[in-house]
Amino acid sequence: MNYKIYLRNFLKYNYMKNFFIILILSLLLFNNIGYSKNFVKLPKDVGSGSKFYKSLTGKYYKKHGVQIVNKEDGHPVRSGKQSIRFEVKQGDCGKDKDGQWDDCKNDRERHELSGGEVAMSSGEYWFSWSIYFPKDHKNLYPLSNAFGQFHQKGGHPVFMFKELKKGYSLVRTITEDDSLYDFSDYDEKLLLTNEEVSGKWFDVLINAKWTKKKNGFFKLWINDELKYDYVGPTKSRQKVYQKFGVYRTGISRYINHVNIDKLKICLEEKGKTEKEYKAYIKLKIKKYPGHQTSIDLYEKCKNYYDVKTVPSTIIYFDEVRRSKSKEKVGVLN
């Protein structure tokens, strides 16, 4: 036997074998990176006590979506030298990595940060943040702007901070069985009116106890004034986590409403069902017409519309903090 040839063939075989092993491992690693969560490290100047990643998959995030901005550049800052700027423009939508949810197909747009990796199962917590509405801020209702929420793992939000018709509001939806959509405990509380918010910072402080039992609570102060005091179950699933930013729902509702006269002409010429007519009446007076119904109306009548764009939404956050104790959330005076 020619041992030199044998040795060369042996080394060649093992080299190719190792090469393919390394290649496969590299592809697996790359694949995991591609679907890994895109974390955003908040400076201590603007946040503490939690960690956040870009909601949905990071690749859909636009550069303008979330930015750490500086006071010296003319941006509003509540305390220190920096704040967090969120912006959602028309078309800023994405989907999750497994394709089970798609904002673009569900009449939604967002740039949010999610604390899903540090979800809370039980116990008492303190939260604080400051929120700023620019002077040119516009309430786009009946489009629903959400500027934060306490969501559940594998469930629905239990507390949402939404901009409803009259202004910045808290919405509570805690239920025993998500499959029944039994939101019998649904509650809305206006926190700040449209007239109050323009060009101002507001300090939010929350003390919550996460539990399915009746001894839970959710207390909220704005600028040291108690605005909400709820006692009862604060969740229906195992874990709760925080999200904040800009999350717009019902893009078609806004476009249908601002084109209400054209919508009327469309329905007169194309014909309308009783359901469509009721939705038209609701849109006319800025009431919720039904999510899918609004989408269907838009698809039916969009060629009649003069206005087809939605203004951008910009909001600032600062002092976003979470702790087990009130003293560590950095309550501002």
Side-chain angles (χ1 to χ4, degrees):
M1 177 181 288
N2 190 327
Y3 288 101
K4 290 184 177 179
I5 296 175
Y6 174 82
L7 180 61
R8 184 169 64 249
N9 290 338
F10 174 82
L11 292 173
K12 183 179 179 180
Y13 169 77
N14 281 277
Y15 170 81
M16 294 302 295
K17 181 180 178 182
N18 291 335
F19 172 79
F20 282 114
I21 291 174
I22 293 170
L23 178 62
I24 292 170
L25 289 174
S26 297
L27 289 173
L28 289 172
L29 177 61
F30 178 79
N31 188 57
N32 287 335
I33 291 173
Y35 285 103
S36 64
K37 291 181 173 62
N38 197 332
F39 285 92
V40 175
K41 187 175 182 179
L42 299 181
K44 291 182 179 180
D45 191 340
V46 299
S48 63
S50 189
K51 63 178 181 178
F52 296 94
Y53 58 87
K54 294 178 178 179
S55 191
L56 298 184
T57 46
K59 68 178 182 179
Y60 295 103
Y61 240 77
K62 306 297 193 306
K63 186 176 180 180
H64 60 262
V66 58
Q67 298 173 316
I68 304 299
V69 294
N70 301 305
K71 186 176 183 179
E72 64 180 19
D73 295 326
H75 291 281
V77 171
R78 176 62 181 93
S79 180
K81 298 180 180 180
Q82 295 179 307
S83 63
I84 315 167
R85 180 186 185 272
F86 289 91
E87 180 176 4
V88 169
K89 298 179 180 180
Q90 189 166 5
D92 287 348
C93 56
K95 57 185 178 181
D96 58 21
K97 66 182 181 183
D98 55 15
Q100 292 186 6
W101 179 259
D102 188 330
D103 274 349
C104 306
K105 293 180 180 180
N106 286 280
D107 210 22
R108 292 168 165 88
E109 300 165 339
R110 78 174 88 190
H111 279 129
E112 277 187 309
L113 293 182
S114 172
E117 289 297 295
V118 286
M120 300 154 284
S121 57
S122 62
E124 183 178 346
Y125 287 84
W126 288 86
F127 305 87
S128 69
W129 64 82
S130 297
I131 186 168
Y132 179 89
F133 298 82
K135 290 183 179 179
D136 60 352
H137 176 76
K138 183 179 180 181
N139 188 333
L140 302 178
Y141 197 81
L143 177 155
S144 173
N145 252 327
F147 298 128
Q149 53 184 302
F150 288 98
H151 212 294
Q152 297 184 105
K153 286 275 190 179
H156 60 273
V158 283
F159 295 94
M160 292 191 75
F161 294 83
K162 301 178 72 173
E163 190 168 47
L164 301 180
K165 186 175 182 179
K166 294 182 179 180
Y168 185 61
S169 306
L170 177 67
V171 175
R172 186 186 81 228
T173 49
I174 302 164
T175 181
E176 291 298 321
D177 189 348
D178 289 335
S179 64
L180 298 177
Y181 295 99
D182 177 22
F183 294 130
S184 57
D185 64 333
Y186 181 92
D187 185 41
E188 292 179 8
K189 171 64 176 179
L190 178 65
L191 303 175
L192 298 166
T193 66
N194 293 321
E195 293 73 26
E196 285 181 293
V197 300
S198 179
K200 298 176 183 177
W201 278 105
F202 293 93
D203 301 328
V204 179
L205 175 67
I206 293 170
N207 183 207
K209 181 179 179 181
W210 304 118
T211 179
K212 296 179 182 179
K213 299 178 180 179
K214 294 181 179 180
N215 64 344
F217 57 80
F218 191 92
K219 299 180 180 181
L220 180 147
W221 295 261
I222 291 186
N223 293 350
D224 294 326
E225 179 184 352
L226 183 62
K227 290 278 191 173
Y228 196 76
D229 191 355
Y230 163 78
V231 177
T234 50
K235 64 174 186 173
S236 58
R237 296 296 180 96
Q238 186 63 28
K239 292 187 176 182
V240 179
Y241 61 98
Q242 183 184 4
K243 302 174 78 175
F244 72 104
V246 178
Y247 177 24
R248 313 203 303 189
T249 301
I251 312 305
S252 67
R253 298 203 297 262
Y254 173 83
I255 299 177
N256 286 334
H257 172 72
V258 297
N259 290 284
I260 196 69
D261 292 337
K262 298 292 184 178
L263 176 59
K264 180 181 179 182
I265 294 172
C266 169
L267 295 178
E268 288 173 349
E269 293 185 358
K270 287 192 170 185
K272 57 186 177 292
T273 64
E274 182 179 354
K275 186 177 183 180
E276 289 175 335
Y277 179 71
K278 287 181 178 179
Y280 159 75
I281 295 299
K282 289 181 178 179
L283 284 165
K284 189 174 182 179
I285 57 176
K286 281 192 175 183
K287 282 193 173 183
Y288 181 61
H291 187 69
Q292 188 59 48
T293 303
S294 178
I295 296 173
D296 293 342
L297 280 177
Y298 171 75
E299 291 298 329
K300 181 176 182 176
C301 297
K302 61 184 178 182
N303 292 334
Y304 284 76
Y305 293 169
D306 295 325
V307 180
K308 297 182 180 180
T309 58
V310 181
S312 298
T313 299
I314 297 172
I315 210 81
Y316 288 84
F317 281 84
D318 201 353
E319 303 303 309
V320 181
R321 309 196 184 277
R322 163 182 145 179
S323 177
K324 284 280 193 174
S325 67
K326 180 179 179 181
E327 291 72 24
K328 292 184 179 180
V329 294
V331 180
L332 296 165
N333 294 319

